[in-house]
Amino acid sequence: MPHLLVQEMHMYLKHINKNKLKKSKPLFQSPVIGVFLKNYITEIGQYNTRAQWGYKFYQSAVAVHKLKLSKLLTGHEGCVNSLDFNKTGNIIASGSDDFKICLWDWSNDKCLLNYKSIHTRNIFQTKFLTTHGDAHVVSSGRDGLVVLSAVSDSDCIYSKIIGHHDRSCNKVCVHHETPYVVLSCGDDGIVKNIDIRESPINENERVTNILHVKSVHGTPMHLYGIDINPLKPYEFIVNGNDEYIRMYDKRQLIEDPIKVFHRELKHTKLKKMDHIAIRNNRTDDNVIDGSDNSDLDDTDHSDDDVADNSNSNSSPSNVDSDIDDEEENLSSHPHYRHITSAVYSYCGTEILASYSEDDIYLFDANGRSNSVLHNYGGHMNRMTVKGVNFYGPRSDYVVSGSDCGYLFIWDKKTEAIVLKKRADKKGTVNVLEGHPHMPTLASSGLDKTIKIWEPLNTSHRLNKKKT
């Protein structure tokens, strides 16, 4: 762990293991640290190896409670729509409305590479490929393009188009067992299976189309998300502008999915959401579970304005780049609910889905179509397309942004809000991405910055350099 407090705790645990059979004075005399360490030991136990301790610490509620804004990464000139850690977790790839892709050495507050992509409109997704030492980034955007870029720490070596959707390409995903294959989906209802080892497909793009998802009315489904089962590279799910999660098997692709998941819409939920919307628009939210919600309150965000829009008088509901006019009109309908994001858990046995103007629902991936295990509420998913994600080494928590500018973390089993933090001072939080190995979280939204959240025991000054 990179923090002094965590290093002290490692030393403390090592000290305990060496002195099990004899009495000794406390290694640290500070009463604050002493109580803090006691709480850690009480909750997560004593472990002989740093790996064991780190793994359990990542799972613990203590680590979540201590998450504070530690770094503010600046460099984009528009809304940041996508974040992705590489396999080792030391670099983040981000995409923005400014058509640029950045690679960040986030722990050192350093932008390694900032290059203008060949996208002609907003970038919606950036993903590292696990081939060639994280030297390739796949991106997609509103222009419908799927682009492969070969990058180094200091330069973009080349970029090429490997796929083209007829409308916006909203998501791409990859799997570590098939590192050369990219799945993409978009507003044209098409799912593409792109093998980057093949020759450029600009002249024969339709070969990559493996699925065309249509609505009950026979029109192309606007697909907002796609995700691959971590343990089954042939299985994937898609979500779009209706209330169903569709599961498919690439080994037996037919028009109908092998399984469909949905939650039962209750009219009482509509009243609940209206109440939540009013409550969460207040700026004087109370502290939740003793956590401090003021990380951004004293921060200078003079350069973090909401992204520019062609219409300066536009309302907040259409400020985000993720929604076309057609979807926006649909989402404002009082009885219309669609899924903005759906993802698998770490082992593929659960599926998490975020519904517009509704709660987040957890489904049993091996159960019936309406097998809802839990639901999580308190946030707002109305004005923009919210991502949802798991957090923790065993998908122990659920994380989401909100229209009220806060990030939310729920305990997956109890459905309780464990943490609520102000994470976007002037806009909306849309993206939350957890570190693959450490209790670290990256967030972004309508601000032009990327926020890094780490477990800190004391207040932290952002980006302060020693003089």
Side-chain angles (χ1 to χ4, degrees):
M1 300 296 173
H3 307 296
L4 177 61
L5 178 61
V6 176
Q7 292 172 354
E8 288 181 347
M9 285 186 284
H10 284 152
M11 294 172 58
Y12 183 73
L13 295 176
K14 185 177 180 181
H15 174 77
I16 291 176
N17 290 331
K18 285 184 177 180
N19 297 277
K20 287 182 178 178
L21 300 179
K22 58 183 180 180
K23 296 182 179 179
S24 61
K25 295 182 179 180
L27 183 62
F28 302 105
Q29 300 297 328
S30 169
V32 176
I33 294 180
V35 172
F36 191 56
L37 292 175
K38 183 178 180 180
N39 290 340
Y40 272 99
I41 295 171
T42 300
E43 177 168 343
I44 69 176
Q46 299 180 19
Y47 295 86
N48 295 324
T49 68
R50 176 174 294 190
Q52 282 181 313
W53 186 91
Y55 185 87
K56 201 65 178 178
F57 174 70
Y58 193 177
Q59 285 184 299
S60 70
V62 175
V64 176
H65 284 303
K66 293 296 178 181
L67 283 177
K68 293 183 182 295
L69 183 61
S70 64
K71 296 175 180 66
L72 210 60
L73 307 181
T74 60
H76 279 296
E77 299 173 359
C79 306
V80 181
N81 303 318
S82 66
L83 300 170
D84 187 46
F85 284 95
N86 64 349
K87 186 176 180 180
T88 57
N90 63 314
I91 298 177
I92 294 175
S94 62
S96 169
D97 284 357
D98 59 11
F99 314 154
K100 293 181 179 180
I101 294 174
C102 291
L103 300 185
W104 306 87
D105 177 1
W106 62 269
S107 63
N108 293 314
D109 298 331
K110 184 178 180 181
C111 182
L112 302 175
L113 180 62
N114 183 333
Y115 70 95
K116 188 176 179 65
S117 69
I118 61 176
H119 287 284
T120 59
R121 300 188 70 181
N122 319 55
I123 297 174
F124 287 161
Q125 189 75 54
T126 48
K127 283 287 185 182
F128 280 106
L129 292 187
T130 56
T131 60
H132 304 98
D134 299 320
H136 288 86
V137 174
V138 176
S139 58
S140 65
R142 185 185 285 277
D143 53 12
L145 299 181
V146 182
V147 175
L148 175 66
S149 299
V151 298
S152 66
D153 287 349
S154 58
D155 190 22
C156 176
I157 302 170
Y158 69 83
S159 293
K160 67 177 182 178
I161 299 172
I162 60 174
H164 191 181
H165 288 260
D166 293 335
R167 299 188 64 183
S168 171
C169 181
N170 298 316
K171 293 290 181 182
V172 293
C173 63
V174 295
H175 194 280
H176 66 277
E177 290 187 21
T178 54
Y180 294 97
V181 177
V182 179
L183 288 184
S184 67
C185 70
D187 284 352
D188 54 5
I190 297 292
V191 174
K192 289 180 178 288
N193 185 85
I194 305 168
D195 192 325
I196 66 171
R197 296 170 296 182
E198 298 178 355
S199 58
I201 58 172
N202 292 339
E203 298 179 359
N204 195 17
E205 294 171 353
R206 303 300 177 186
V207 173
T208 62
N209 295 355
I210 61 172
L211 190 64
H212 191 182
V213 183
K214 295 184 179 180
S215 68
V216 293
H217 304 293
T219 57
M221 174 72 64
H222 292 201
L223 298 178
Y224 301 138
I226 185 168
D227 196 36
I228 304 174
N229 188 324
L231 299 186
K232 301 175 183 178
Y234 51 82
E235 180 184 291
F236 65 93
I237 55 175
V238 296
N239 63 276
N241 62 328
D242 68 5
E243 59 185 28
Y244 302 103
I245 305 167
R246 295 166 172 83
M247 179 187 291
Y248 294 92
D249 188 329
K250 285 204 295 184
R251 301 171 302 177
Q252 48 181 350
L253 277 175
I254 55 177
E255 183 177 347
D256 296 326
I258 59 173
K259 192 173 289 188
V260 176
F261 299 93
H262 66 90
R263 57 89 175 90
E264 296 180 1
L265 182 62
K266 298 179 180 179
H267 294 294
T268 54
K269 189 72 67 177
L270 305 181
K271 296 180 181 178
K272 177 182 177 182
M273 286 305 300
D274 290 338
H275 172 71
I276 291 170
I278 295 172
R279 183 186 67 195
N280 283 349
N281 273 323
R282 296 175 55 191
T283 59
D284 58 343
D285 295 87
N286 295 324
V287 173
I288 292 180
D289 292 335
S291 62
D292 176 17
N293 296 326
S294 60
D295 292 67
L296 296 183
D297 292 349
D298 298 324
T299 304
D300 181 11
H301 281 257
S302 58
D303 296 327
D304 299 343
D305 296 330
V306 176
D308 295 334
N309 300 282
S310 57
N311 181 5
S312 60
N313 296 322
S314 58
S315 64
S317 62
N318 57 24
V319 74
D320 188 76
S321 61
D322 293 352
I323 305 180
D324 287 326
D325 292 338
E326 184 177 346
E327 288 96 62
E328 188 179 326
N329 293 334
L330 286 171
S331 61
S332 63
H333 192 278
H335 300 294
Y336 183 82
R337 302 291 182 268
H338 64 274
I339 301 172
T340 61
S341 178
V343 294
Y344 280 102
S345 62
Y346 81 104
C347 59
T349 59
E350 298 168 329
I351 297 173
L352 196 63
S354 180
Y355 282 78
S356 67
E357 303 192 54
D358 200 348
D359 288 350
I360 296 167
Y361 292 82
L362 184 69
F363 294 89
D364 180 358
N366 300 316
R368 297 173 309 206
S369 61
N370 62 345
S371 54
V372 175
L373 301 175
H374 297 284
N375 71 288
Y376 314 91
H379 70 307
M380 287 191 297
N381 182 3
R382 177 175 296 176
M383 295 189 298
T384 60
V385 175
K386 299 291 176 303
V388 70
N389 220 331
F390 288 100
Y391 179 72
R394 291 184 175 271
S395 302
D396 310 281
Y397 301 92
V398 173
V399 295
S400 173
S402 175
D403 291 335
C404 60
Y406 284 77
L407 68 82
F408 286 77
I409 303 181
W410 295 266
D411 184 288
K412 188 179 73 173
K413 293 181 179 178
T414 68
E415 304 178 4
I417 298 176
V418 181
L419 189 73
K420 176 185 176 184
K421 286 284 187 180
R422 186 66 181 266
D424 205 272
K425 190 168 185 180
K426 296 183 179 179
T428 298
V429 183
N430 294 323
V431 182
L432 287 148
E433 195 70 27
H435 191 282
H437 314 299
M438 293 166 48
T440 299
L441 193 66
S443 70
S444 66
L446 295 190
D447 283 353
K448 300 173 185 177
T449 59
I450 299 165
K451 285 87 174 174
I452 303 297
W453 306 83
E454 299 178 272
L456 303 173
N457 193 39
T458 58
S459 60
H460 185 72
R461 293 271 183 184
L462 293 177
N463 302 336
K464 285 289 184 180
K465 296 181 180 179
K466 294 182 179 180
T467 56

